[in-house]
Amino acid sequence: MVARSGAMHVARNKRRYVARSGEQRVYESVLVRRTYREGGKVRHETLANLSALPAEAVAAIEATLKGELLVPAGQAVTITGSLPHGHVAAVHALAAKLGLPALLGPAGRQRDLALALVISRVVRPGSKLSTLAWWGDTTLGADLGVAGGSTDDIYAAMDWLAGRQDAIEAGLARRHLAPQANPSRMALFDLSSSWLEGRCCPLAARGYSRDGRKGTLQIEYGLLTDPVGRPVAIRVFEGNTGDPAAFTGIVEVVRDKFGLGKMVMVGDRGMITSARIDALNRLEDGTPRPDPYGWITALRAPAIKKLMADDGPLQLSLFDDQDLAEIASPDFPGERLVACRNPVLAAERARKREDLLAATEKLLAPIAARVRAGRLSGAAAIGVEAGKVISKYKTGKHFGLTITDGGLTVRRRQDQIDAEAALDGFYVLRTPIPASELDALAVVTAYKNLKYVERDFRSIKSDDLDLRPVFHRLEERVKAHVLICMLACYLTWHLRRAWAPLTFTDENPPPQDNPVAPASRSAAAQAKASYQRDPAGRPYRSFRGLIEHLATLTRNQVRFAGAVTDVPMLTQPTSAQREAFDLIGVPIPLMLK
């Protein structure tokens, strides 16, 4: 036989055949052929019939004949590295979309470190040392070039960021408090506190702890937001600073540093006092300001009690057919008073008070039994034991105790209880803004919007960003730490709203025709909580749970057989991960920048 040369290939031949039944059948033969020329004509020589082989074997033979290099499946691709990517990519993408990097300052090493600190606070809040180690375990460290940083680099970036605070907050104020973005010219302000570890910080002081950490050194910080709770500015004060002094400080910032006039400041009761209002709306020479600030706040319980006493303007008959009434009082000249009564809140306070009274009586009963049995005697000793119980639930004002050397009598002060119960569910708002600019319902709505600031505080302190406790010693570092948490809260605020369809967040809270009534969740939000899964069968997640799920989207360094360099590739994203990026309006990036 004459040996012939020529390229071998796999040929597939199909034949169609119609059976007697009329059914059309297709037969395919897979052959290995050599093609050559003979006398100017192309000839085909069949070398083997592969029709009986599995498709995988045929594909391998065909690839070999085409010149491809085949290697064992386990050696075809090597993953040389893999880092969590989706969570930091999503937060970084939103930060870039919101223009946060440019807001922080000019591009450079310090800005990259500051931005990394803010993103890390959203994704994985922790100490600066743990954050520094964590950067190397995600794509954030590599892409922003901060993975090799040191603690000195972090502290230098914090000092740089603290020096930029006024410019950053002024930029946020232009976005969210200026008249174009905030036609109502309204801002919300509230004060909170957190404790410190250590005793050398100049801001540390003992004061009223809103965290319930009695006896610890703490700092105070006031948060300023727009009417929907979007953080704009934050100020840190000494731990014993009162609400009125903090309010004065933030108004001076808004007026002098942000250049915003004729604002309406909304603050909680006790924060906006008459003395502070008068001082703020006067110039240094004592003359009234031409652009006085408006304000909305609430009266304290003694002032409400005074309005109800001696047939005063606040009477229960006003609320027979309504839960809101506008009244006036000579004690508040030039101001409007909007009185509200929430029956649900009244019932809850009455229930809680009765529970505390009953619990106190239950604890006092064994002491009285010991006195009767003679096991406890002496007025001083009896008073000490009874005092411990009375102070536990803070119900001492509602009990009368008669203590002798051999006796203890306990009785309720029903008149005191009834006087307190008369105030249950009542709150009175005060404002100088005329009704032509803000009606009574709008005043109540504006005041109750302080709930958004409380939501921000929960996010900053515990739910998302873990501000407390504070470990920094220097005053500027403490302020920088709080500023980082505020900027992280700004990102979290936008992420929570964008990712509402994937989480338990209420996407469309029902509008309230009556702002005095308790807020309610929409039917869709209640269905989320009941069924736990969306129509596609995917589980709803908490905000933190969604961040953790995004972390499973990794960036892998892939090396193919025969190659000498790695190729970065993302894992196949889940449908929830794709939607998370779609909801913030960005594609899934391979690199952060």
Side-chain angles (χ1 to χ4, degrees), residues 191 210 220 237-248 270-271 276:
L191 194 68
R210 292 163 176 83
E220 304 266 358
F237 307 99
E238 294 182 0
N240 55 2
T241 304
D243 289 8
F247 176 74
T248 301
M271 179 174 294
R276 294 290 175 176

Side-chain angles (χ1 to χ4, degrees), residues 432-447:
I433 304 172
S436 58
E437 297 181 18
L438 208 65
D439 62 22
L441 290 177
V443 171
V444 178
T445 300
Y447 181 77

Side-chain angles (χ1 to χ4, degrees), residues 172-195:
L172 291 175
R174 286 191 295 271
R175 290 184 185 183
H176 307 300
L177 295 183
Q180 297 81 2
N182 181 23
S184 64
R185 293 178 176 269
M186 191 172 292
L188 312 178
F189 179 74
D190 206 353
L191 194 68
S192 191
S193 62
S194 290
W195 75 94

Side-chain angles (χ1 to χ4, degrees), residues 96-291:
K97 185 176 180 180
L98 294 174
L100 184 60
L103 193 66
L104 294 181
R109 172 73 171 170
Q110 302 285 34
R111 190 181 82 175
D112 289 341
L113 285 164
L115 180 61
L117 287 171
V118 174
I119 294 173
S120 302
R121 184 58 54 171
V122 176
V123 175
R124 182 188 172 275
S127 69
K128 302 302 182 293
L129 289 177
S130 67
T131 298
L132 180 62
W134 176 77
W135 281 346
D137 296 332
T138 70
T139 58
L140 179 67
D143 290 0
L144 294 188
V146 299
S150 65
T151 53
D152 289 342
D153 292 333
I154 287 182
Y155 291 141
M158 292 178 66
D159 295 341
W160 176 84
L161 187 65
R164 295 274 310 158
Q165 180 167 0
D166 288 345
I168 293 169
E169 293 176 342
L172 291 175
R174 286 191 295 271
R175 290 184 185 183
H176 307 300
L177 295 183
Q180 297 81 2
N182 181 23
S184 64
R185 293 178 176 269
M186 191 172 292
L188 312 178
F189 179 74
D190 206 353
L191 194 68
S192 191
S193 62
S194 290
W195 75 94
L196 292 91
E197 297 293 342
R199 54 185 177 82
C200 297
C201 178
L203 295 170
R206 301 186 190 277
Y208 171 66
S209 174
R210 292 163 176 83
D211 296 329
R213 302 277 297 194
K214 295 182 179 179
T216 59
L217 296 173
Q218 65 174 27
I219 57 169
E220 304 266 358
Y221 45 91
L223 180 64
L224 181 76
T225 78
D226 69 358
V228 293
R230 188 186 285 109
V232 171
I234 198 163
R235 282 295 180 273
V236 181
F237 307 99
E238 294 182 0
N240 55 2
T241 304
D243 289 8
F247 176 74
T248 301
I250 201 66
V251 170
E252 290 174 351
V253 169
V254 174
R255 174 183 282 152
D256 301 335
K257 294 188 176 182
F258 298 166
L260 298 174
K262 296 189 70 65
M263 292 290 293
V264 178
M265 304 294 294
V266 184
D268 207 353
R269 66 192 73 202
M271 179 174 294
I272 306 178
T273 63
S274 298
R276 294 290 175 176
I277 293 165
D278 184 66
L280 288 172
N281 285 330
R282 289 186 181 276
L283 299 172
E284 293 182 0
D285 59 3
T287 58
R289 284 183 176 271
D291 56 343

